[in-house]
mmCIF file of all heavy atoms in Angstrom:
data_model
loop_
_atom_site.group_PDB
_atom_site.id
_atom_site.type_symbol
_atom_site.label_atom_id
_atom_site.label_comp_id
_atom_site.label_asym_id
_atom_site.label_seq_id
_atom_site.Cartn_x
_atom_site.Cartn_y
_atom_site.Cartn_z
ATOM 1 N N VAL A 1 0.849 -1.158 -0.003
ATOM 2 C CA VAL A 1 0.030 0.065 0.019
ATOM 3 C C VAL A 1 0.936 1.265 0.048
ATOM 4 O O VAL A 1 1.882 1.354 0.655
ATOM 5 C CB VAL A 1 -0.970 0.010 1.128
ATOM 6 C CG1 VAL A 1 -0.230 0.136 2.507
ATOM 7 C CG2 VAL A 1 -1.975 1.170 0.996
ATOM 8 N N ALA A 2 0.445 2.223 -0.861
ATOM 9 C CA ALA A 2 1.081 3.488 -0.761
ATOM 10 C C ALA A 2 0.161 4.500 -0.105
ATOM 11 O O ALA A 2 -0.821 4.887 -0.500
ATOM 12 C CB ALA A 2 1.405 4.004 -2.302
ATOM 13 N N GLU A 3 0.719 4.844 1.188
ATOM 14 C CA GLU A 3 -0.292 5.610 2.021
ATOM 15 C C GLU A 3 -0.626 6.952 1.488
ATOM 16 O O GLU A 3 -1.623 7.582 1.926
ATOM 17 C CB GLU A 3 0.437 5.686 3.387
ATOM 18 C CG GLU A 3 0.565 4.378 4.034
ATOM 19 C CD GLU A 3 1.347 4.469 5.363
ATOM 20 O OE1 GLU A 3 1.602 5.502 5.795
ATOM 21 O OE2 GLU A 3 1.720 3.394 5.949
ATOM 22 N N HIS A 4 0.056 7.639 0.662
ATOM 23 C CA HIS A 4 -0.321 8.873 0.037
ATOM 24 C C HIS A 4 -1.124 8.898 -1.098
ATOM 25 O O HIS A 4 -1.364 9.910 -1.627
ATOM 26 C CB HIS A 4 1.016 9.632 -0.097
ATOM 27 C CG HIS A 4 2.110 8.965 -0.978
ATOM 28 N ND1 HIS A 4 2.881 8.025 -0.602
ATOM 29 C CD2 HIS A 4 2.251 9.044 -2.262
ATOM 30 C CE1 HIS A 4 3.581 7.355 -1.483
ATOM 31 N NE2 HIS A 4 3.243 8.113 -2.696
ATOM 32 N N PHE A 5 -1.783 7.729 -1.510
ATOM 33 C CA PHE A 5 -2.728 7.598 -2.561
ATOM 34 C C PHE A 5 -4.000 7.113 -2.046
ATOM 35 O O PHE A 5 -4.047 6.386 -1.051
ATOM 36 C CB PHE A 5 -2.153 6.773 -3.688
ATOM 37 C CG PHE A 5 -1.013 7.377 -4.405
ATOM 38 C CD1 PHE A 5 0.202 6.957 -4.212
ATOM 39 C CD2 PHE A 5 -1.250 8.242 -5.417
ATOM 40 C CE1 PHE A 5 1.412 7.514 -4.961
ATOM 41 C CE2 PHE A 5 -0.188 8.882 -6.128
ATOM 42 C CZ PHE A 5 1.181 8.345 -5.805
ATOM 43 N N GLU A 6 -5.176 7.497 -2.801
ATOM 44 C CA GLU A 6 -6.403 7.144 -2.453
ATOM 45 C C GLU A 6 -6.590 5.634 -2.323
ATOM 46 O O GLU A 6 -5.978 4.874 -3.291
ATOM 47 C CB GLU A 6 -7.425 7.740 -3.377
ATOM 48 C CG GLU A 6 -8.912 7.416 -2.913
ATOM 49 C CD GLU A 6 -9.909 8.099 -3.932
ATOM 50 O OE1 GLU A 6 -9.442 9.125 -4.517
ATOM 51 O OE2 GLU A 6 -11.077 7.818 -3.803
ATOM 52 N N THR A 7 -7.214 5.075 -1.339
ATOM 53 C CA THR A 7 -7.431 3.605 -1.123
ATOM 54 C C THR A 7 -8.874 3.271 -1.347
ATOM 55 O O THR A 7 -9.711 4.047 -0.722
ATOM 56 C CB THR A 7 -6.927 3.216 0.123
ATOM 57 O OG1 THR A 7 -5.602 3.484 0.114
ATOM 58 C CG2 THR A 7 -7.055 1.631 0.326
ATOM 59 N N ALA A 8 -9.225 2.165 -1.820
ATOM 60 C CA ALA A 8 -10.772 1.785 -1.854
ATOM 61 C C ALA A 8 -11.212 1.539 -0.414
ATOM 62 O O ALA A 8 -10.455 1.279 0.505
ATOM 63 C CB ALA A 8 -10.926 0.418 -2.590
ATOM 64 N N SER A 9 -12.520 1.755 -0.208
ATOM 65 C CA SER A 9 -13.046 1.694 1.140
ATOM 66 C C SER A 9 -13.909 0.447 1.224
ATOM 67 O O SER A 9 -14.743 0.233 0.202
ATOM 68 C CB SER A 9 -13.796 2.958 1.458
ATOM 69 O OG SER A 9 -14.378 2.867 2.792
ATOM 70 N N PRO A 10 -13.858 -0.351 2.230
ATOM 71 C CA PRO A 10 -12.947 -0.326 3.317
ATOM 72 C C PRO A 10 -11.594 -0.982 2.786
ATOM 73 O O PRO A 10 -11.642 -1.954 2.074
ATOM 74 C CB PRO A 10 -13.715 -1.090 4.348
ATOM 75 C CG PRO A 10 -14.450 -2.133 3.558
ATOM 76 C CD PRO A 10 -14.897 -1.387 2.307
ATOM 77 N N PRO A 11 -10.535 -0.440 3.357
ATOM 78 C CA PRO A 11 -9.208 -1.085 3.015
ATOM 79 C C PRO A 11 -9.141 -2.591 3.592
ATOM 80 O O PRO A 11 -9.812 -2.710 4.732
ATOM 81 C CB PRO A 11 -8.210 -0.190 3.655
ATOM 82 C CG PRO A 11 -8.878 0.556 4.739
ATOM 83 C CD PRO A 11 -10.369 0.582 4.258
ATOM 84 N N PRO A 12 -8.285 -3.435 3.245
ATOM 85 C CA PRO A 12 -8.303 -4.773 3.761
ATOM 86 C C PRO A 12 -7.363 -4.614 5.017
ATOM 87 O O PRO A 12 -6.650 -3.660 5.270
ATOM 88 C CB PRO A 12 -7.682 -5.584 2.664
ATOM 89 C CG PRO A 12 -6.950 -4.627 1.744
ATOM 90 C CD PRO A 12 -7.745 -3.339 1.843
ATOM 91 N N ALA A 13 -7.324 -5.676 5.734
ATOM 92 C CA ALA A 13 -6.365 -5.879 6.990
ATOM 93 C C ALA A 13 -4.988 -5.716 6.351
ATOM 94 O O ALA A 13 -4.714 -6.215 5.259
ATOM 95 C CB ALA A 13 -6.741 -6.997 7.635
ATOM 96 N N PRO A 14 -4.012 -5.269 7.249
ATOM 97 C CA PRO A 14 -2.639 -5.116 6.815
ATOM 98 C C PRO A 14 -2.034 -6.571 6.266
ATOM 99 O O PRO A 14 -1.294 -6.512 5.388
ATOM 100 C CB PRO A 14 -1.931 -4.788 8.039
ATOM 101 C CG PRO A 14 -2.957 -3.900 8.909
ATOM 102 C CD PRO A 14 -4.295 -4.618 8.508
ATOM 103 N N GLY A 15 -2.520 -7.668 6.840
ATOM 104 C CA GLY A 15 -1.969 -8.983 6.464
ATOM 105 C C GLY A 15 -2.719 -9.600 5.295
ATOM 106 O O GLY A 15 -2.433 -10.673 4.917
ATOM 107 N N ALA A 16 -3.710 -8.889 4.790
ATOM 108 C CA ALA A 16 -4.464 -9.474 3.626
ATOM 109 C C ALA A 16 -3.583 -9.729 2.455
ATOM 110 O O ALA A 16 -2.931 -8.886 2.081
ATOM 111 C CB ALA A 16 -5.720 -8.586 3.274
ATOM 112 N N PRO A 17 -3.815 -10.793 1.691
ATOM 113 C CA PRO A 17 -3.038 -11.134 0.464
ATOM 114 C C PRO A 17 -3.538 -10.190 -0.631
ATOM 115 O O PRO A 17 -4.705 -10.099 -0.934
ATOM 116 C CB PRO A 17 -3.361 -12.617 0.198
ATOM 117 C CG PRO A 17 -4.762 -12.838 0.792
ATOM 118 C CD PRO A 17 -4.881 -11.836 2.009
ATOM 119 N N VAL A 18 -2.465 -9.710 -1.323
ATOM 120 C CA VAL A 18 -2.664 -8.793 -2.500
ATOM 121 C C VAL A 18 -1.640 -9.135 -3.590
ATOM 122 O O VAL A 18 -0.656 -9.696 -3.303
ATOM 123 C CB VAL A 18 -2.637 -7.358 -2.135
ATOM 124 C CG1 VAL A 18 -3.648 -6.952 -1.136
ATOM 125 C CG2 VAL A 18 -1.306 -6.905 -1.730
ATOM 126 N N TRP A 19 -2.022 -8.754 -4.855
ATOM 127 C CA TRP A 19 -1.158 -8.684 -5.889
ATOM 128 C C TRP A 19 -0.838 -7.228 -6.198
ATOM 129 O O TRP A 19 -1.612 -6.298 -6.176
ATOM 130 C CB TRP A 19 -1.822 -9.321 -7.221
ATOM 131 C CG TRP A 19 -1.762 -10.761 -7.169
ATOM 132 C CD1 TRP A 19 -2.841 -11.548 -6.950
ATOM 133 C CD2 TRP A 19 -0.639 -11.622 -7.516
ATOM 134 N NE1 TRP A 19 -2.424 -12.954 -7.007
ATOM 135 C CE2 TRP A 19 -1.024 -12.859 -7.462
ATOM 136 C CE3 TRP A 19 0.631 -11.320 -7.966
ATOM 137 C CZ2 TRP A 19 -0.232 -14.016 -7.815
ATOM 138 C CZ3 TRP A 19 1.513 -12.387 -8.327
ATOM 139 C CH2 TRP A 19 1.009 -13.657 -8.337
ATOM 140 N N TRP A 20 0.480 -6.940 -6.486
ATOM 141 C CA TRP A 20 0.925 -5.591 -6.835
ATOM 142 C C TRP A 20 1.436 -5.843 -8.305
ATOM 143 O O TRP A 20 2.180 -6.682 -8.583
ATOM 144 C CB TRP A 20 2.164 -5.196 -6.030
ATOM 145 C CG TRP A 20 2.625 -3.867 -6.257
ATOM 146 C CD1 TRP A 20 2.175 -2.637 -5.929
ATOM 147 C CD2 TRP A 20 3.697 -3.520 -7.151
ATOM 148 N NE1 TRP A 20 2.924 -1.581 -6.498
ATOM 149 C CE2 TRP A 20 3.849 -2.209 -7.221
ATOM 150 C CE3 TRP A 20 4.609 -4.428 -7.941
ATOM 151 C CZ2 TRP A 20 4.943 -1.613 -7.956
ATOM 152 C CZ3 TRP A 20 5.490 -3.843 -8.813
ATOM 153 C CH2 TRP A 20 5.748 -2.458 -8.706
ATOM 154 N N ILE A 21 0.678 -4.993 -9.146
ATOM 155 C CA ILE A 21 0.984 -5.253 -10.769
ATOM 156 C C ILE A 21 1.338 -3.806 -11.261
ATOM 157 O O ILE A 21 0.854 -2.862 -10.876
ATOM 158 C CB ILE A 21 -0.331 -5.621 -11.411
ATOM 159 C CG1 ILE A 21 -0.931 -6.849 -10.849
ATOM 160 C CG2 ILE A 21 -0.174 -5.660 -12.861
ATOM 161 C CD1 ILE A 21 -0.116 -8.131 -11.251
ATOM 162 N N SER A 22 2.278 -3.811 -12.066
ATOM 163 C CA SER A 22 2.868 -2.712 -12.805
ATOM 164 C C SER A 22 2.710 -2.944 -14.230
ATOM 165 O O SER A 22 3.320 -3.756 -14.788
ATOM 166 C CB SER A 22 4.224 -2.333 -12.443
ATOM 167 O OG SER A 22 4.761 -1.227 -13.134
ATOM 168 N N LEU A 23 1.899 -2.075 -14.856
ATOM 169 C CA LEU A 23 1.684 -2.045 -16.348
ATOM 170 C C LEU A 23 2.276 -0.799 -16.931
ATOM 171 O O LEU A 23 2.178 0.297 -16.334
ATOM 172 C CB LEU A 23 0.230 -2.061 -16.802
ATOM 173 C CG LEU A 23 -0.523 -3.296 -16.319
ATOM 174 C CD1 LEU A 23 -2.014 -3.223 -16.697
ATOM 175 C CD2 LEU A 23 -0.039 -4.582 -16.893
ATOM 176 N N GLY A 24 2.889 -0.801 -18.112
ATOM 177 C CA GLY A 24 3.328 0.345 -18.653
ATOM 178 C C GLY A 24 4.478 0.144 -19.736
ATOM 179 O O GLY A 24 4.417 -0.900 -20.465
ATOM 180 N N ASP A 25 5.336 1.150 -19.962
ATOM 181 C CA ASP A 25 6.279 1.107 -20.947
ATOM 182 C C ASP A 25 7.616 1.641 -20.290
ATOM 183 O O ASP A 25 7.572 2.757 -19.720
ATOM 184 C CB ASP A 25 5.935 1.962 -22.138
ATOM 185 C CG ASP A 25 7.011 1.929 -23.266
ATOM 186 O OD1 ASP A 25 7.525 0.942 -23.482
ATOM 187 O OD2 ASP A 25 7.160 3.094 -23.891
ATOM 188 N N ASP A 26 8.622 0.825 -20.396
ATOM 189 C CA ASP A 26 9.954 1.337 -19.753
ATOM 190 C C ASP A 26 11.102 0.964 -20.643
ATOM 191 O O ASP A 26 11.825 0.119 -20.453
ATOM 192 C CB ASP A 26 10.086 0.579 -18.429
ATOM 193 C CG ASP A 26 11.173 1.102 -17.506
ATOM 194 O OD1 ASP A 26 11.713 2.177 -17.748
ATOM 195 O OD2 ASP A 26 11.501 0.561 -16.491
#
C-alpha cells in the first residue's frame, strides 16, 4: 500500500493477500 494515494473503502487488513501489478512502458 502507498499511504499517500487514495485507497478503496474499506481497506483490507494489513496482512490480507494482494497482488501488486505494474503495467506500462519502460
